[in-house]
Amino acid sequence: MRLNKYFERSLWVFHLNTGSCNGCDIEIVAGLTPRYDLERFGIKLVGSPKHADVLLVTGPVTGRMLDRVKRVYEQTPDPKAVIAVGACGTSGGVFYNSYNLSGSIDKVIPVDVYVPGCPPRPEAIINGVLQAWIKLEKLRESMEAAPAR
Amino acid sequence: MNKKTYSIPIGPVHPSLEEPMTFNFEIYGERIEKVYLAPGDNHRGIEFMGRQRNPIQIIYLAERICGICSASHPFAFCQAVENAAGIEVPERGQYIRVIIAELERIHSHILWAGIAGHELGFDSVLYISWRAREEVLDLLEYLTGNRINYGVFMIGGVRRDISEEQIPRIRKTLEYYKDVYGKIEDIFLKDPTIALRTKNVGVLTKEDALRLCAVGPTTRASGIKKDVRQDQPYSAYADLEVKAITPDVFSGEINGDVYDRIIVRLLELVQSIQIIEQCLENMPSGEIVAEKKLVKLLNQLKKAKGEGIGRHEAPRGEVFHYVKLAEAEVPEIWKARAPTYNNLMPWAPMLLGEQIADIPIVVASTDPCIACMDRVTILNKANGRKDVLTKKDLHELSVQKTRRITP
């Protein structure tokens, strides 16, 4: 049985910590483990951005991670979606006036879905991933429809 | 025979630890010959930000030093400010603080057990323990309103009381953990595969642990009875019975290996349950916070002058905060020292001579929390050269800083 047209492929996620406090990161893992169980939808964490469809980025990009974030983004194959998780990833949050931080992820790489909260609950993260999924499938359809260059 | 080593860089983005951290290993065959650590990827400048905010705003910031120790840092920070400003915490407030801190220890140790299982390639353990961890998060949400950053600490006490109706719910969770403990103990301490992977791996001798100032379960597993709750009781711990746990209680011997660190953490789970039960029995009635009106408290802190320290035994070891108030809106100095900072150097003796495949579990066995720990790298902007500081330079810098703080 097909749930809808978007539940066709399984979605692989790469999690990138750019200097977050761990709060969002453990909530992401909590989202994957039995209580919330994202893996039943075929969503799983992968070890390399080269395997990923979605980048799950947390934290207020520190100075040394700035270049790495851009490189990880470039290594992820198209079509891709980026989710910014947590208050500091979406806006800088509580760390608004530091000398070593970029503030928010969208200043460094384009972001598709924002999940606010400090930290967001696993349900919110799951909702964010599903939003990215729908966006990704639309992107894929438009890429397939476009004439090959 | 060719004795050439090659180097493996790991990080800062890697799948095993969640946090950015750079390692560089010199490998001969499969054996680790040299270990280089390059922390600093997670440095956010929190102490700098703290010097531009008032103490009540800093509690919010201190909570976000680390999302796992989100009771430990505010606990130590509030103690430091209370120490500096001479504020006395009501007894009931102290008991509630201890209950929250111990619930956090339960959540942190179970989280660690799952991560350790994952690093060993035993993913069912990760799922079993993280399922068990959700219960204590539910309880923390019930008591404080939040799953992760509890927001319950306040200078001079706590922000939320624990009412009579809430106590049965706490007891229910404790009973649940007594059941689950048997299961987790069965997996970790009686399973032959885990014993084979962790016994005599990543050994930290007692001498090394003392020399490198390791703290928390890492040092207790090497046989040193060091625990702030026992050595310098603070808050409600003075009324409770807390003894530092070493692995010989369970196995009769001390090896200082990864297996011993597992034993210590699992036994501390039981200890935390007992501490909370004692707290619930002896909890006095009365106020929970010394000064309810925040404006009045802020004015009091604005007039305060002096320095104070706060220490707390976090799940990973001793966390230490230093605050200097100088009759101003913001503190003049705020210094936080997290346990992973001390537990970083012991990685070198633990990892030397081990196999590549053992790196994840040895590193994870100290329960590292990079977010708590990261400091600055000195970079000369003019020529882009990174300066390496020797022990002598660091000593000189710290003497200078001490003179600046206390002229």
Side-chain angles (χ1 to χ4, degrees):
Chain A
M1 191 190 76
R2 242 171 93 180
L3 281 174
N4 69 32
K5 64 176 180 174
Y6 298 126
F7 275 67
E8 212 163 45
R9 307 176 186 87
S10 56
L11 195 72
W12 285 9
V13 177
F14 181 74
H15 167 218
L16 175 64
N17 179 336
T18 67
S20 121
C21 74
N22 255 344
C24 301
D25 312 69
I26 51 174
E27 289 295 61
I28 289 168
V29 183
L32 292 164
T33 43
R35 166 71 72 83
Y36 300 99
D37 203 7
L38 259 181
E39 292 199 348
R40 73 197 136 136
F41 302 123
I43 298 173
K44 68 169 199 164
L45 281 191
V46 289
S48 162
K50 289 167 189 167
H51 300 162
D53 302 301
V54 166
L55 279 182
L56 209 56
V57 192
T58 56
V61 196
T62 60
R64 267 174 65 174
M65 290 301 286
L66 190 64
D67 182 43
R68 273 83 176 233
V69 175
K70 287 180 192 158
R71 269 157 59 190
V72 167
Y73 179 75
E74 280 158 16
Q75 282 176 16
T76 316
D78 280 326
K80 60 192 161 197
V82 178
I83 309 174
V85 178
C88 49
T90 52
S91 68
V94 65
F95 308 122
Y96 56 84
N97 56 350
S98 170
Y99 52 84
N100 199 28
L101 301 177
S102 306
S104 63
I105 293 157
D106 56 8
K107 287 182 187 155
V108 186
I109 53 172
V111 175
D112 298 296
V113 179
Y114 296 87
V115 183
C118 189
R121 295 181 62 88
E123 292 98 325
I125 296 173
I126 293 170
N127 185 35
V129 173
L130 294 183
Q131 297 292 330
W133 197 342
I134 292 168
K135 193 162 181 181
L136 203 62
E137 289 297 331
K138 282 182 182 157
L139 204 65
R140 196 172 275 151
E141 271 168 18
S142 68
M143 276 175 86
E144 277 163 11
R149 269 181 289 178
Chain B
M1 203 174 75
N2 188 4
K3 185 82 175 132
K4 210 176 158 202
T5 61
Y6 56 96
S7 69
I8 299 188
I10 298 183
V13 181
H14 44 82
S16 120
L17 273 177
E18 283 178 354
E19 297 162 285
M21 168 86 195
T22 316
F23 299 87
N24 217 327
F25 295 102
E26 286 287 328
I27 308 280
Y28 175 70
E30 283 277 310
R31 203 174 62 238
I32 302 166
E33 298 272 311
K34 273 179 189 161
V35 183
Y36 298 101
L37 304 171
D41 296 306
N42 210 339
H43 174 74
R44 283 161 290 167
I46 290 181
E47 288 165 5
F48 168 81
M49 285 183 261
R51 291 204 292 271
Q52 302 165 34
R53 300 182 193 185
N54 71 41
I56 293 177
Q57 289 171 322
I58 295 180
I59 299 175
Y60 191 80
L61 196 58
E63 211 159 45
R64 278 146 187 86
I65 290 177
C66 170
I68 306 178
C69 318
S70 47
S72 310
H73 283 285
F75 198 155
F77 174 75
C78 289
Q79 281 186 2
V81 174
E82 284 149 14
N83 188 343
I87 298 170
E88 193 73 33
V89 182
E91 234 179 300
R92 189 174 174 86
Q94 293 182 357
Y95 271 79
I96 295 173
R97 280 182 174 188
V98 167
I99 290 175
I100 301 292
E102 292 303 321
L103 285 174
E104 183 195 65
R105 194 183 313 279
I106 294 177
H107 122 67
S108 178
H109 280 353
I110 294 182
L111 178 146
W112 176 83
I115 300 283
H118 176 69
E119 306 291 12
L120 288 167
F122 198 168
D123 262 0
S124 5
V125 178
L126 171 72
Y127 293 122
I128 290 172
S129 39
W130 279 63
R131 175 66 192 83
R133 175 176 163 267
E134 289 291 334
E135 291 296 321
V136 71
L137 291 185
D138 282 353
L139 177 63
L140 279 166
E141 192 180 357
Y142 176 68
L143 293 176
T144 69
N146 295 312
R147 276 164 60 90
I148 302 288
N149 291 327
Y150 320 116
V152 84
F153 285 85
M154 178 45 67
I155 293 161
V158 288
R159 291 178 53 217
R160 275 168 190 254
D161 201 358
I162 293 177
S163 63
E164 267 318 302
E165 304 91 72
Q166 287 176 321
I167 287 176
R169 175 76 175 75
I170 302 177
R171 287 196 195 280
K172 204 180 119 204
T173 307
L174 295 181
E175 288 304 318
Y176 172 81
Y177 279 106
K178 281 179 194 163
D179 283 357
V180 165
Y181 173 74
K183 204 170 172 184
I184 294 178
E185 189 193 16
D186 228 35
I187 296 168
F188 273 101
L189 302 180
K190 296 188 182 133
D191 188 300
T193 11
I194 288 189
L196 282 171
R197 270 303 298 275
T198 55
K199 271 195 176 162
N200 294 320
V201 170
V203 175
L204 181 71
T205 57
K206 193 172 179 179
E207 292 73 43
D208 276 343
L210 280 172
R211 194 164 52 85
L212 298 169
C213 308
V215 290
T218 312
T219 192
R220 290 197 280 276
S222 297
I224 301 165
K225 294 197 179 207
K226 187 155 87 176
D227 190 322
V228 190
R229 293 173 293 170
Q230 169 201 290
D231 301 337
Q232 296 197 339
Y234 52 95
S235 209
Y237 287 116
D239 305 346
L240 309 167
E241 238 175 78
V242 187
K243 285 267 174 293
I245 289 176
T246 46
D248 52 343
V249 184
F250 180 82
S251 60
E253 53 182 8
I254 294 171
N255 299 317
D257 53 9
V258 176
Y259 189 71
D260 280 359
R261 275 168 233 140
I262 296 176
I263 296 176
V264 170
R265 287 212 173 80
L266 293 185
L267 293 180
E268 281 186 12
L269 259 179
V270 185
Q271 190 188 32
S272 288
I273 296 173
Q274 287 165 354
I275 291 175
I276 297 170
E277 278 180 340
Q278 284 182 42
C279 280
L280 290 179
E281 268 163 36
N282 306 332
M283 197 141 81
S285 54
E287 288 294 317
I288 54 165
V289 65
E291 179 53 65
K292 270 186 190 153
K293 293 186 182 115
L294 291 185
V295 180
K296 211 171 161 191
L297 177 65
L298 264 183
N299 282 332
Q300 190 186 345
L301 290 173
K302 228 184 264 181
K303 284 179 212 133
K305 189 175 176 168
E307 43 185 3
I309 58 165
R311 304 168 75 191
H312 169 59
E313 183 75 18
R316 287 157 186 75
E318 179 194 342
V319 46
F320 177 94
H321 278 239
Y322 169 87
V323 171
K324 186 177 180 189
L325 302 172
E327 293 176 325
E329 177 101 29
V330 296
E332 192 179 317
I333 311 265
W334 170 36
K335 174 88 193 147
R337 208 271 289 125
T340 305
Y341 191 64
N342 287 31
N343 286 341
L344 204 62
M345 290 320 284
W347 276 348
M350 279 181 206
L351 284 166
L352 285 182
E354 297 295 341
Q355 308 279 312
I356 299 177
D358 289 333
I359 294 173
I361 183 63
V362 173
V363 166
S365 72
T366 66
D367 201 356
C369 179
I370 313 297
C372 291
M373 178 273 306
D374 254 356
R375 296 292 183 258
V376 188
T377 333
I378 295 196
L379 188 75
N380 193 338
K381 234 183 181 170
N383 55 14
R385 191 168 57 92
K386 273 184 197 169
D387 288 321
V388 176
L389 298 179
T390 58
K391 191 180 169 191
K392 205 176 132 208
D393 297 334
L394 287 174
H395 182 248
E396 254 169 42
L397 279 175
S398 37
V399 170
Q400 275 174 21
K401 183 164 183 182
T402 314
R403 295 230 169 94
R404 201 170 68 229
I405 296 172
T406 48

